[in-house]
Amino acid sequence: MQAQDIRTTQLPNGLTLVMERMPDVRSAAFSMLIPAGNIYDPPGQEGCAAVLSDLITRGAGDRNSQQLAFDLDNLGLQRSESASGSHLGLSGATIADRLPDVLRIYADIVLRPQLPADQFEAARAGIAQSLHSIEDEPRQKAMQELRRRSYPSPWGLPSDGNLEGLSQLTADTVRAHYENCFRPSETILGIAGNFDVLAIQGLVEEYFGDWQDKPVPTVEVSDWAPNISHIEHESTQTHIGVAYESVPYRDEGYYNAWAAVNILGGGMSSRLFTEVREKRGLCYSVYASLSALRDQGRVFCYAGSTNERAQETLDVMLAELQRLPEGIEEGELERCKAGAKSSLIMQQESSSSRASAVARDWYHLGRVTTLDEVHQKVDALTVPSILKYVDEHPADNFTVLTLGPESLEVNLGVS
Amino acid sequence: MEFHKATLDNGLQIVAEQSPAAHSVAVGFFVRTGSRDETQEVSGVSHFLEHMVFKGTDRFAADDVNRIFDEIGAKYNASTSEEVTLFYGAVLPEYLPRIFDLLAEILRPSLRTDDFDTEKKVILEEIGRYEDEPTFTAYETLMQTHFAGHPLGQCILGTVDSINALTADQMRGYFNQRYLAGNITLAVAGNFDWDEVLALAEKQCKDWPAGDPGRTVTEAQPPGGIEVITNPSSHHQHIMQMTPAPPSSHPDRYAAELLGVIVGDDSGSRMYWDLVDPGYAEMAEMSYNDYDGSGVYLMYCGCAPEQTAENMRRIETIFHEVNDKGVTEEELTQAKNKVSSRIVLRSERPMGRLGALGSNWLYRGEYRSVEDDLNVIAGITSDDIRRLLDEYPLGQTTTTAVGPLESLNGEVS
C-alpha cells in the first residue's frame, strides 16, 4: 500500500489538527468535530444542537447569512453541518487551491458566529420540518427508534431532538449551548487532499490559535436495559430493527466484531442476505452493521417485509444471529478481508473519505491508524479469533423495534 | 487521461478512460433498455430482469455470483431507469479480469424459472417498500401524469398485478430482443491496460448476438394537469411538478443544469432562500433531468400541509421572475463554481467517472473529458440562459401532491 503522508499537531489551546497529504487528487476536504453534539442538549430542550448546527452558518464574522453562503458557494465548497451524539460536525470539500480561503471563513463560523436572534425561528422551523418528514420515511424512522432504544440516554437520542423539546427551546439556550460547548480542546480538525502541509498548518495556527479553552460540560447518562417494543404505523411493510451489544472502535476485539457483523450482514453473500432474501425472497433490504461510540458499540440489523411475511423474516433473522457461534467458513473470512482491502485502497481516491477518517480515528483512539496498520489487523483475523470473540460477545439480550400495523413475536431459540 | 474506443464485430461499443494515478478500475455495461421500451403487458420487466441477471448462468449459480463479487472485494451494483439498465463494479486493478469475466458471464443469464419465482417475491417486496414512501408515490404519479401517452410515463417497477402476471417466458422474449450487442455500451474508467480490456471484451463478448432493437424517440408533449393523492397518515404534504426542458442531445443542456442550480439547488438557490432558509419548507428543490428526446425540470417541495398554498405561490413567483428577468451575473458565476467543483470532486474516483463516460457515449456518441465539461461550463453566458428560458420557460405544467390535503384548489395555477 502506498505510504501515507500524515501529520498531526496540537495547538497550545488543545485543538488537534490532523492532515493527510494526497498528491494524486485535485481536491481538499476537511472534517471538523466540535464537542457540541446533542448529548449536551439541555434535558427538556432536545434539538438544541441541531438548531445550532443550522444557525451557525447564518452569518459569521462580518458576513451575514446570504454573504456567507454566497462566498462558500463561490469557492465551490460542497459542505454539510450536522449534529451527532458527541459532536457538531462541519465538513466540506472543494478544489485544493481554495482551501486557505475556506479555512479563513470557517474560523469565522466557529469562533465568531453571529447566531442572529431574528433567524432563530427559521432555524427551529427547519428542524421541526425534518422531524415531521421522518414520519413519512418508515424505514429511517424505525432505525432511528431502534438506536434510541439501544443506548442509554442521551446517547442514541435522535440528533434533531423532538417537537416538545424544540417548542421549549429559546434563542438564548442555543447561544448558551454554543458558549458552553464550543472549545478547542477535544475539537478535531481533519484535513486531507493535495496541499502544502506546512502552509496549511500555519494558517490553522493563525486562524484558530487564539480560541480560548473552556471547562468540559457534564452529561448525565441514564440507566439502560435491552427492550422490545412496537410502533403502530399503517404501512405495506413492517420494518424490523434488531440490536445487541458489541464493542467500541478502540476495543482490541473491534476487528473481530467487525468481521462477525460483516459475515452476518455486510454484503450480498452475507448470511442474512442469503437466508432472508436470496433463499426465501422475504424482503428487498436486509443488513447488519456495526455502530461504534467511543465507549460502547452495538450491532444494528434491519429488514423490511410485507406485513404477512414479517414474522417469518424476524424469526429467520434471529436464528441467523444466534447460529453464528456454530462455525464460520474460511471463505466467509476471505471475502471480508477482500472487501476491507479494496475499501482501504479506494479510500485513497477520496479526500472527503480520508478527512473524515483521520478526524474520526483521532476521536476514538487519540491517534491515526494508517491504512497499512488497518490492513495488517484485517490480515491477522482468523476463523478461531472471530469465533472466540463471538463466544465472548454472543448475539443475545436483543433490543427489538418493529414498526408496522401489528407487533411481532420475538421467538428465541427457534430455527 | 487517455481515451480509447473500439467496436466489436457484433456491434458492442467500448469506451475507456485511463487514469494511471487511480487506485481502482470501474467497469460498467450500459444496456440501452428500460421501462420506456416495455409493452404494457410486461410492465416492470426491465427492472425484474436486472435482478435476474444476478441469478447467474450454467457456469455460475446465484450463490456463486454474490460470492465471487465479494471475493474480489468489488463495490458493485445495478440500476434500472426509464432508459438504461446498468451493471457495474469497481475493483482493485489486479481483479479486472475476474470482475470482467463475471459481469460478462451474467449478462447472458440462464433465467431459470425457479429463480424467477423466488425473485418475484423480492420484487413485490421492493414495490411494497416504495409504497410506504409518499415521495416515491408522488414521483411515480408525476411521471405517469406528465408523460401520459408517452413511453417515459411507464413505471419502472411495474405494479403488483403486472409483476404477478409476468412469466419467465415473457422475460426471456424481452431479453432476446433487447440485450443485443449493438444495444450495449461497455465503459471502463480508472487504472487499466487498454489492450487487456480489448482482449477481455473480445474473449467474453464476441459471441453475443448482434443487432440493435432501437427505440422510437419523440419529444413528449405533456398535456399537463394536477393529480392529488390524499393520504391522511402522511405528515408532510409532498408536492412535485414537472415542466418541459431540453432533451439529452440539446446543446443547451449545460445551461439547463446551471439554471436548475440557480433556481433550485439544495442550498444557496432562489428556492432555498425563499422557502427553506425561512423554515417554510423542509425541502424545496428543482433540478434538470434529461432523457432521450425529452427533458424536464423536476420540482419538489415537502412542507406542512397548511403551508402548501403559500409555498406554491412562492415557487410560482420565482418561476415568473426568472422567466421575465433571467438570472443575475452573480448567480451564474456562483452556479458555475458549484457545478465545476462538483464535477472535479465526483471525477476523482473511477466509479464517479463511469456514469458520465457511459452516458455521454450512450446518449450522444461522444467522449467528453472533465476538462471539456469545465470549459463548456465556464463559457456559458446569461444570453445562453435567456435563450434557454425563451425556448423552455420554467413552469408548473404538471403537479402531483401526496399528503393530508384533499385538493390544491386554487393553490396551483
Side-chain angles (χ1 to χ4, degrees):
Chain A
M1 212 168 284
Q2 190 176 316
Q4 290 166 276
D5 184 357
I6 297 173
R7 176 188 293 254
T8 306
T9 174
Q10 201 154 37
L11 271 53
N13 60 13
L15 180 131
T16 303
L17 170 64
V18 191
M19 290 173 291
E20 176 167 352
R21 204 176 86 78
M22 304 166 69
D24 292 336
V25 300
R26 284 171 74 173
S27 63
F30 72 92
S31 166
M32 190 166 198
L33 301 177
I34 301 161
N38 64 289
I39 58 163
Y40 302 103
D41 282 353
Q45 296 185 66
E46 291 83 8
C48 189
V51 173
L52 178 58
S53 74
D54 178 305
L55 211 50
I56 195 92
T57 54
R58 291 180 184 249
D62 51 13
R63 291 175 175 89
N64 68 21
S65 187
Q66 299 237 8
Q67 287 159 344
L68 185 66
F70 185 81
D71 287 348
L72 292 175
D73 281 347
N74 260 339
L75 289 165
L77 187 73
Q78 289 195 42
R79 64 188 167 98
S80 78
E81 301 85 33
S82 64
S84 68
S86 48
H87 294 103
L88 193 149
L90 304 173
S91 61
T94 186
I95 316 286
D97 59 10
R98 300 170 187 171
L99 180 61
D101 291 335
V102 168
L103 290 175
R104 186 176 301 119
I105 296 179
Y106 270 81
D108 278 346
I109 292 172
V110 174
L111 298 178
R112 292 168 289 278
Q114 295 175 352
L115 307 178
D118 64 350
Q119 299 215 19
F120 166 75
E121 281 307 333
R124 172 161 72 179
I127 302 300
Q129 297 268 9
S130 14
L131 285 169
H132 281 293
S133 91
I134 197 165
E135 299 296 328
D136 289 346
E137 294 166 8
R139 263 183 301 143
Q140 284 89 325
K141 168 84 177 170
M143 291 315 274
Q144 187 184 76
E145 291 301 323
L146 177 68
R147 188 181 175 87
R148 179 210 297 276
R149 287 163 171 76
S150 301
Y151 284 118
S153 171
W155 295 102
L157 291 182
S159 58
D160 285 343
N162 56 63
L163 288 170
E164 174 63 22
L166 270 184
S167 71
Q168 299 301 312
L169 202 59
T170 65
D172 287 343
T173 320
V174 175
R175 181 168 281 279
H177 189 100
Y178 169 79
E179 302 286 352
N180 296 334
C181 296
F182 267 53
R183 57 181 195 278
S185 58
E186 293 187 41
T187 289
I188 303 156
L189 175 56
I191 308 180
N194 195 348
F195 53 83
D196 178 336
V197 168
L198 286 178
I200 291 300
Q201 181 178 331
L203 289 181
V204 171
E205 284 166 353
E206 182 190 332
Y207 297 153
F208 293 92
D210 53 6
W211 190 6
Q212 296 296 313
D213 204 18
K214 289 172 204 149
V216 180
T218 53
V219 173
E220 201 144 318
V221 179
S222 73
D223 292 335
W224 173 84
N227 56 88
I228 291 167
S229 52
H230 174 73
I231 297 175
E232 210 174 294
H233 184 88
E234 281 312 313
S235 47
T236 305
Q237 285 193 323
T238 299
H239 302 271
I240 303 167
V242 176
Y244 56 95
E245 287 190 66
S246 183
V247 295
Y249 185 46
R250 61 192 164 129
D251 190 282
E252 57 175 20
Y254 176 79
Y255 287 91
N256 284 301
W258 170 83
V261 170
N262 212 44
I263 288 166
L264 271 174
M268 294 198 215
S269 68
S270 70
R271 293 187 179 186
L272 288 175
F273 198 87
T274 305
E275 295 298 324
V276 182
R277 174 167 153 166
E278 297 291 83
K279 284 196 188 156
R280 296 176 179 82
L282 285 168
C283 67
Y284 172 73
S285 172
V286 57
Y287 63 82
S289 66
L290 196 54
S291 144
L293 303 179
R294 184 149 69 179
D295 299 313
Q296 46 194 328
R298 297 288 184 273
V299 174
F300 288 129
C301 311
Y302 168 83
S305 283
T306 41
N307 301 321
E308 50 278 13
R309 314 174 75 204
Q311 183 64 56
E312 186 185 353
T313 301
L314 176 58
D315 291 344
V316 176
M317 277 172 86
L318 290 172
E320 281 309 312
L321 300 182
Q322 292 170 290
R323 195 172 67 86
L324 193 60
E326 291 168 17
I328 291 169
E329 287 173 28
E330 267 318 315
E332 293 181 293
L333 174 58
E334 288 313 312
R335 295 200 291 277
C336 264
K337 290 185 177 180
K341 186 180 160 203
S342 76
S343 298
L344 285 168
I345 293 176
M346 289 186 203
Q347 260 190 41
Q348 293 176 295
E349 292 172 339
S350 161
S351 54
S352 296
S353 302
R354 289 306 302 156
S356 63
V358 296
R360 198 174 51 234
D361 260 21
W362 189 270
Y363 168 64
H364 282 278
L365 309 171
R367 65 186 196 87
V368 175
T369 27
T370 62
L371 295 174
D372 250 341
E373 248 180 288
V374 179
H375 198 183
Q376 281 166 23
K377 292 193 170 168
V378 170
D379 255 349
L381 292 170
T382 62
V383 167
S385 77
I386 302 168
L387 285 174
K388 180 164 176 287
Y389 170 86
V390 171
D391 194 46
E392 289 163 2
H393 302 84
D396 57 13
N397 296 320
F398 296 110
T399 291
V400 179
L401 180 276
T402 50
L403 188 147
E406 278 173 52
S407 64
L408 305 178
E409 295 288 325
V410 177
N411 299 317
L412 298 176
V414 186
S415 57
Chain B
M1 300 279 176
E2 200 176 338
F3 175 68
H4 306 272
K5 67 178 161 86
T7 307
L8 299 189
D9 291 343
N10 58 9
L12 179 90
Q13 308 201 51
I14 309 167
V15 288
E17 183 183 78
Q18 212 173 4
S19 37
H23 296 276
S24 65
V25 55
V27 184
F29 284 95
F30 293 69
V31 188
R32 191 168 176 249
T33 200
S35 54
R36 72 176 290 164
D37 304 300
E38 299 170 355
T39 57
Q40 210 50 42
E41 57 178 358
V42 296
S43 172
V45 68
S46 308
H47 168 258
F48 193 166
L49 175 55
E50 173 226 299
H51 280 234
M52 285 302 294
V53 162
F54 288 90
K55 295 296 175 188
T57 63
D58 292 344
R59 197 172 135 220
F60 297 133
D63 286 359
D64 297 323
V65 175
N66 290 339
R67 181 179 50 76
I68 297 169
F69 274 121
D70 283 348
E71 271 172 8
I72 57 178
K75 312 292 165 202
Y76 70 105
N77 213 332
S79 64
T80 308
S81 72
E82 291 83 3
E83 309 193 312
V84 180
T85 311
L86 167 61
F87 302 88
Y88 63 97
V91 289
L92 303 182
E94 68 253 41
Y95 294 124
L96 175 63
R98 287 193 66 193
I99 195 168
F100 198 99
D101 180 34
L102 184 57
L103 279 171
E105 172 77 16
I106 63 176
L107 271 155
R108 313 311 301 172
S110 296
L111 304 178
R112 288 175 284 257
T113 306
D114 52 341
D115 288 335
F116 178 88
D117 293 338
T118 306
E119 198 60 18
K120 191 178 261 195
K121 298 180 197 162
V122 175
I123 302 290
L124 292 169
E125 287 296 337
E126 194 173 354
I127 293 174
R129 160 187 150 115
Y130 283 118
E131 262 174 24
D132 286 345
E133 295 177 13
T135 47
F136 183 81
T137 309
Y139 177 75
E140 279 278 300
T141 312
L142 182 64
M143 286 296 284
Q144 283 164 28
T145 314
H146 184 77
F147 289 110
H150 188 275
L152 280 169
Q154 291 164 195
C155 159
I156 295 171
L157 289 176
T159 62
V160 170
D161 288 343
S162 75
I163 294 300
N164 270 324
L166 193 72
T167 66
D169 266 341
Q170 284 174 311
M171 181 180 282
R172 291 178 197 118
Y174 178 84
F175 174 83
N176 289 333
Q177 273 171 19
R178 303 295 308 179
Y179 280 54
L180 300 172
N183 202 34
I184 301 177
T185 296
L186 161 64
V188 186
N191 189 343
F192 61 85
D193 177 77
W194 169 241
D195 290 336
E196 186 183 18
V197 167
L198 210 49
L200 286 166
E202 276 287 351
K203 179 166 164 245
Q204 305 276 341
C205 313
K206 72 169 182 339
D207 294 333
W208 291 4
D212 180 357
R215 168 184 285 166
T216 320
V217 176
T218 49
E219 186 160 5
Q221 302 299 327
I226 299 175
E227 194 73 40
V228 179
I229 296 175
T230 305
N231 177 358
S233 67
S234 172
H235 274 236
H236 261 164
Q237 193 67 31
H238 305 273
I239 303 113
M240 288 194 187
Q241 296 185 315
M242 273 183 180
T243 222
S248 62
S249 56
H250 200 288
D252 279 338
R253 66 182 187 280
Y254 290 94
E257 190 180 345
L258 290 176
L259 182 64
V261 169
I262 292 168
V263 175
D265 202 22
D266 62 354
S267 74
S269 64
R270 292 211 188 180
M271 286 173 68
Y272 174 82
W273 290 116
D274 288 1
L275 285 95
V276 179
D277 178 77
Y280 300 142
E282 204 255 335
M283 260 173 101
E285 299 181 4
M286 190 194 85
S287 60
Y288 164 60
N289 292 1
D290 58 326
Y291 306 96
D292 238 354
S294 296
V296 293
Y297 292 113
L298 167 64
M299 192 287 292
Y300 169 70
C301 174
C303 62
E306 61 273 16
Q307 288 179 315
T308 306
E310 204 45 47
N311 282 337
M312 299 317 294
R313 269 192 282 279
R314 291 184 180 108
I315 291 166
E316 191 185 357
T317 306
I318 294 173
F319 288 178
H320 278 196
E321 274 181 16
V322 172
N323 286 339
D324 285 353
K325 299 184 189 128
V327 302
T328 67
E329 290 300 330
E330 272 190 334
E331 285 178 316
L332 182 59
T333 306
Q334 182 191 44
K336 288 181 183 182
N337 288 335
K338 276 179 165 179
V339 171
S340 311
S341 164
R342 280 173 199 172
I343 291 174
V344 170
L345 289 168
R346 188 173 54 232
S347 306
E348 282 185 344
R349 301 184 126 167
M351 193 75 126
R353 265 307 277 165
L354 188 72
L357 183 68
S359 308
N360 277 327
W361 199 259
L362 191 101
Y363 279 97
R364 291 172 287 273
E366 64 176 359
Y367 166 69
R368 302 190 61 80
S369 67
V370 171
E371 296 304 326
D372 290 339
D373 280 349
L374 296 180
N375 288 336
V376 171
I377 287 163
I380 289 173
T381 65
S382 49
D383 287 346
D384 294 326
I385 304 278
R386 183 68 265 162
R387 186 183 60 244
L388 168 71
L389 284 167
D390 291 341
E391 194 180 357
Y392 290 100
L394 300 180
Q396 301 168 303
T397 308
T398 316
T399 301
T400 58
V402 176
L405 293 184
E406 292 194 357
S407 77
L408 300 175
N409 44 13
E411 290 161 7
V412 179
S413 59

